[in-house]
Amino acid sequence: MKNALIISASPRKRGNSQLLCEQFAEGARAMGHEVNLVRLAEKKIGFCLACDGCMKNGGTCVQKDDMAEMLAQFQKADVLVLATPVYFYGITAQMKTFIDRTYPIWRNLGKKEVYYIVSAGLGEDIIERSLGDLDGFVEHLEDSPVKGRLYAANVMDAGKIAETSVMEDAYRMGKEL
């Protein structure tokens, strides 16, 4: 049994990448895996202050917000799913803030099985051009190549993904952890 942490950076509760996260989680749970699906939009996570306080006090950020709990969940996870819609050729601000706030543990991010779930209102070429921040983050993990990529292109309206076979693909990817 694996411990999966799904980080959903969709600001919309019924957004396309959020719905795909829920399908992935359902598939993983069906196989007996422990799944923690976190919606960043529901968390209080401040921007990194670049104060280096975390480097001076043993890896604990000076901000008192939900990120401390998120870092603990992150360190326990065997599987990491990074899910985001594409906004203006990049990941959402919520995902970028999460990535930046892992700085207190950046030297000990650990080894994870990594999966991407990315949705966009335009084509898959736009998704590919938007992955720099995710790829850069994953490079800092220990020997953790991206094992699965699920791209939902040309789905602009919230919930439109429910009308496609990509929902089944998300469920199947979760089952195959």
Side-chain angles (χ1 to χ4, degrees), residues 10-90:
S10 177
R12 302 187 291 192
K13 283 185 179 184
R14 303 305 297 162
N16 294 309
S17 58
Q18 177 65 33
L19 293 175
L20 292 170
C21 287
E22 291 168 9
Q23 284 296 108
F24 183 101
E26 193 174 311
R29 287 184 183 118
M31 299 306 292
H33 300 293
E34 183 177 324
V35 178
N36 186 2
L37 172 53
V38 176
R39 288 194 68 246
L40 294 178
E42 295 174 351
K43 298 293 182 182
K44 181 183 178 206
I45 302 174
F47 301 112
C48 179
L49 303 174
C51 66
D52 273 343
C54 58
M55 294 297 118
K56 297 171 188 162
N57 65 14
T60 302
C61 183
V62 299
Q63 295 187 66
K64 304 299 181 216
D65 60 11
D66 293 333
M67 196 60 194
E69 172 191 343
M70 299 275 309
L71 289 176
Q73 293 171 356
F74 178 90
Q75 289 182 309
K76 286 192 277 185
D78 307 306
V79 176
L80 176 65
V81 179
L82 299 171
T84 183
V86 172
Y87 290 167
F88 290 98
Y89 300 91

Side-chain angles (χ1 to χ4, degrees), residues 1-2 11 16 18 23 36 39 51 57 60 64 76 90 94 100-101 105 115 123 125-126 130 142 152 157 159 161:
M1 183 169 90
K2 296 179 182 175
N16 294 309
Q18 177 65 33
Q23 284 296 108
N36 186 2
R39 288 194 68 246
C51 66
N57 65 14
T60 302
K64 304 299 181 216
K76 286 192 277 185
Q94 292 88 342
D100 289 348
R101 289 292 304 282
I105 62 167
Y115 295 84
D125 61 318
I126 300 303
S130 303
E142 298 170 23
D157 297 331
I161 198 68

